Amino acid sequence: MRPRVFCGIAAAVALFATACGSGGGGSTDGSGGGGGQTAAAGAFPVKVADCAGKETTVKQAPKKIVTSNAAGLEMLLQLGAGDRVVGTGFPPGKGSLPASIAEQGTKVPVLGEMGIAKEKLLGSGADLYVDAFGSMPMMGGAGAGPSEEEFTAAGIQHVYLLSTACSGTPKAAKGPRTDLAEVENDLRRLGAVTGTGARAEELVTGMERTVGEVRTATAGVPADQRPGYFFFDFDAGTKQPVAVCGRQVANAVITLAGARNVFADCDADFKPVSWEDVVAKNPDWIQLAVRTRGTEEETRKAFDEAEAFLKGFPATQGLKAVKDGRFLRIGSEVTTIGGVRNADTVRQIAATVHPDLVKNGR
């Protein structure tokens, strides 16, 4: 499992889970371009923009959808549009989807364990492609993705998850990502183009409520007293750690939880660092981030292995968090994949690092 995840996170700049960038914009009109009115549920046509601001007009709700990765798939399942998804790339790992949508998620055909080959995507019969990668090359030997002319010829409309597809474009966020607005906007955009806008607003409202409660509870903690936090991506390998940087959605999750990502200052999503760098940061807390293994027992074993490594590795034995046993056992997916569950992860982290202020499950 590790080689696949390392390719997805370290070597491929996290295409497997979250795609790679910071997203674009807090529009509520479904375009990602700012301003406008929220589209009424089921109201068409709907205009959505890509990372360069070029608009696509979706005239009716799609009947067959393909999504490039697990992030888009999970959002569509949460929105209630899962019955229209006819294929995905970068499928979610076994056991990684929440129970309410897990069975439906396993029935979605996998068109590519990594990226979807161009010919397979164009021949999928889809009328909508939800793209988390933007202009980046498709992975897994699939080569470059279809051109817009090829999408049009195949009758496929092409929309983006701007929260992940816009790195390196004018819409890329400047500086660290510190909130979930981009993820929430993607839910609204997908809700608009699939005619599930009411459900999207329901999901976003729930996220905002959860995060708002945590922010209120931790508001009195001064910035310089917020605990240092290291996301230990165990599945990316232990020879050289891969840090979660400021542009990754996990940085927003950590920040909103009232902690301080010790690698927030690196201007990227993920970045290979050295163990000397980690030691110099000396975090107060370490998240043992592993991907779901499919069963609780196997996932627990992976958490045990990650903890044992840090306790046994000479470079990390003296870290404050390791000596004090300040570990969080929270999966990678709910932290680094943009989606509804990010808000719950905010609360889970906050309840651990600020137990006197935040209670988990509230």
Side-chain angles (χ1 to χ4, degrees), residues 42 55 78 85 100 160 179-180 194 197 206 218 224 281 292 294 336-337 339 355:
E55 289 187 338
Q78 295 275 21
V85 181
S100 61
Y160 296 85
D179 60 40
L180 299 177
T194 59
T218 60
D224 60 355
K281 300 291 187 180
T292 302
T336 61
I337 296 179

Side-chain angles (χ1 to χ4, degrees), residues 12-13 36 63 95 113 159 187 206 217 221 273 328 342 355:
V13 202
K63 297 179 180 178
E113 288 295 332
V159 301
L187 283 164
V221 182
V273 294
L328 296 88
N342 293 152

Side-chain angles (χ1 to χ4, degrees), residues 7-39:
C7 177
I9 295 182
V13 202
L15 293 186
F16 169 78
T18 61
C20 338
S22 298
S27 161
T28 57
D29 65 349
S31 71
Q37 300 294 318
T38 303

Side-chain angles (χ1 to χ4, degrees), residues 271-284:
K271 180 181 178 181
V273 294
S274 68
W275 284 114
E276 289 77 9
D277 293 328
V278 176
V279 170
K281 300 291 187 180
N282 197 18
D284 299 290

Side-chain angles (χ1 to χ4, degrees), residues 9 17 35 40 54 59 73 77 86 109 114 131 145 163 188 197 218 251 263 297 305 308 314 325 334 336 347 349:
I9 295 182
K54 180 182 177 182
K59 296 181 179 180
L73 174 60
L77 292 169
V86 297
M114 296 182 71
D131 188 351
S163 65
R188 290 188 171 108
T218 60
N251 189 74
F263 286 102
E297 181 180 1
E305 290 173 7
V334 295
T336 61
R347 181 167 53 194
I349 294 173

Side-chain angles (χ1 to χ4, degrees), residues 24-49 56 58 62 71-72 74-81 84 128 130 159-163 179-209 338-340:
S27 161
T28 57
D29 65 349
S31 71
Q37 300 294 318
T38 303
F44 289 91
V46 174
K47 291 184 178 180
V48 291
T56 294
V58 179
E74 183 170 335
M75 286 187 183
L76 290 167
L77 292 169
Q78 295 275 21
L79 287 166
R84 289 177 269 166
L128 181 72
V130 177
V159 301
Y160 296 85
L161 294 184
L162 297 190
S163 65
D179 60 40
L180 299 177
E182 296 164 348
V183 175
E184 293 167 354
N185 189 49
D186 273 338
L187 283 164
R188 290 188 171 108
R189 284 163 51 84
L190 287 186
V193 301
T194 59
T196 59
R199 174 60 175 162
E201 288 303 321
E202 180 182 336
L203 292 172
V204 170
T205 297
M207 291 175 67
E208 291 177 337
R209 181 185 306 115
V340 176

Side-chain angles (χ1 to χ4, degrees), residues 279 309-319:
V279 170
F309 169 78
L310 292 174
K311 288 181 175 179
F313 187 47
T316 54
Q317 287 177 335
L319 289 175

Side-chain angles (χ1 to χ4, degrees), residues 1-2 5 94 232-238 286-311 327-333:
M1 181 170 183
R2 287 194 193 182
V5 177
K94 183 180 178 181
F232 173 37
D233 192 344
F234 183 58
D235 291 316
T238 56
I286 297 177
Q287 179 174 335
L288 305 174
V290 303
R291 295 195 176 280
T292 302
R293 300 300 199 254
T295 67
E296 289 187 11
E297 181 180 1
E298 289 302 314
T299 302
R300 178 184 56 75
K301 288 180 180 179
F303 281 128
D304 289 344
E305 290 173 7
E307 182 173 333
F309 169 78
L310 292 174
K311 288 181 175 179
F327 301 115
L328 296 88
R329 295 188 169 207
I330 301 175
S332 298
E333 294 95 338

